[in-house]
Amino acid sequence: DIQMTQSPSSLSASVGDRVTITCRASQSISTYLNWYQQKPGKAPKLLMYGASSLQSGVPSRFSGSGSGTDFTLTISSRQPEDFATYYCQQSYSTPYTFGQGTKLEI
Amino acid sequence: EVQLVQSGAEVKKPGESLRISCKGSGYSFTSYWISWVRQTPGKGLEWMGRVDPSDSLIIYSPSLQGHVTISADRSISTAYLQWSSLKASDTAMYYCARLDKVSGTSDSWGQGTLVTVSS
């Protein structure tokens, strides 16, 4: 299985801050990397796919980059509604493993 | 509107069997895979496997193969996750998600089914 490692596991940031979350794959996954946002009691929501493509309806303050083994999710100016846990997931080969999550806190 | 609607919460005893469902609407059910994802209380997400409703081809996560069965009935646009003998460790929230066949991206999710296994 491909192991996905996110850092940090939790992150405190104020409204307006720039936030960066990193995700590392245990082997190259090209750009088969997706990012999801999960709020408490809710299903995950797709934010980014193909490492850098913004899902329809997602605010443009979210962006993604990377290829191979190293990836980042950036929130350019954190908003109050961004309080959530963020997961990366590789869809290069099954099982489509997730990172352990990064909890974004106030 | 694309929707995946899952069956309701379940409370079961160890050793009992269970089948939960996920009904798709608003899109061509056979054009996408359906995956199942497990989330244990306070924990992260675990990909369990996927089914192709067009031919019922199934891929399981090696860590779960043999313990659960994934299936789909394309005639009623519904996918299933079932257990023949539940364990307490199966207590979790289970999500189904629509998977793009090219990218493997889950762009639409069900609301989740909470399964509680307790004696």
Side-chain angles (χ1 to χ4, degrees), chain A residues 1-4 26-27 29 32 88-99, chain B residues 35-37 45-50 59-65 99 104:
Chain A
D1 299 2
I2 297 175
Q3 306 303 314
M4 306 299 293
S26 61
Q27 66 183 74
I29 57 170
Y32 287 88
C88 62
Q89 181 206 30
Q90 63 83 16
S91 53
Y92 180 79
S93 68
T94 57
Y96 292 160
T97 43
F98 291 89
Chain B
S35 69
W36 288 94
V37 174
L45 304 169
E46 179 182 13
W47 192 86
M48 301 178 70
R50 65 162 171 86
I59 294 179
Y60 293 96
S61 171
S63 64
L64 291 166
Q65 189 157 11
L99 271 183

Side-chain angles (χ1 to χ4, degrees), chain A residues 34 36 38 42-43 46 91 96, chain B residues 39 47 95 103 105-106 109-110:
Chain A
N34 311 301
Y36 300 89
Q38 187 180 31
K42 299 293 186 181
L46 178 65
S91 53
Y96 292 160
Chain B
Q39 186 166 38
W47 192 86
Y95 294 101
S103 66
T105 300
S106 302
W109 293 66

Side-chain angles (χ1 to χ4, degrees), chain A residues 1-96:
Chain A
D1 299 2
I2 297 175
Q3 306 303 314
M4 306 299 293
T5 304
Q6 283 183 238
S7 61
S9 56
S10 64
L11 178 59
S12 294
S14 301
V15 172
D17 284 353
R18 181 182 181 89
V19 173
T20 299
I21 299 168
T22 64
C23 179
R24 174 165 289 177
S26 61
Q27 66 183 74
S28 177
I29 57 170
S30 183
T31 56
Y32 287 88
L33 192 283
N34 311 301
W35 289 98
Y36 300 89
Q37 176 193 66
Q38 187 180 31
K39 296 185 176 181
K42 299 293 186 181
K45 171 189 172 184
L46 178 65
L47 295 178
M48 311 288 305
Y49 61 95
S52 61
S53 296
L54 191 67
Q55 173 69 356
S56 176
V58 174
S60 59
R61 63 180 179 275
F62 290 92
S63 63
S65 66
S67 67
T69 60
D70 294 309
F71 302 87
T72 60
L73 174 70
T74 300
I75 308 173
S76 61
S77 177
R78 186 246 168 98
Q79 298 302 302
E81 60 268 29
D82 299 337
F83 164 76
T85 300
Y86 295 82
Y87 295 93
C88 62
Q89 181 206 30
Q90 63 83 16
S91 53
Y92 180 79
S93 68
T94 57
Y96 292 160

Side-chain angles (χ1 to χ4, degrees), chain B residues 31-100:
Chain B
S31 296
Y32 293 81
W33 298 324
I34 293 288
S35 69
W36 288 94
V37 174
R38 177 169 72 178
Q39 186 166 38
T40 48
K43 299 290 186 178
L45 304 169
E46 179 182 13
W47 192 86
M48 301 178 70
R50 65 162 171 86
V51 57
D52 186 339
S54 66
D55 59 11
S56 292
L57 180 65
I58 302 161
I59 294 179
Y60 293 96
S61 171
S63 64
L64 291 166
Q65 189 157 11
H67 184 55
V68 297
T69 301
I70 295 171
S71 61
D73 185 341
R74 64 185 183 184
S75 69
I76 55 172
S77 300
T78 300
Y80 302 97
L81 178 65
Q82 66 182 65
W83 297 259
S84 59
S85 181
L86 285 160
K87 304 175 183 178
S89 56
D90 293 318
T91 295
M93 179 70 81
Y94 292 87
Y95 294 101
C96 64
R98 186 179 84 160
L99 271 183
D100 183 271

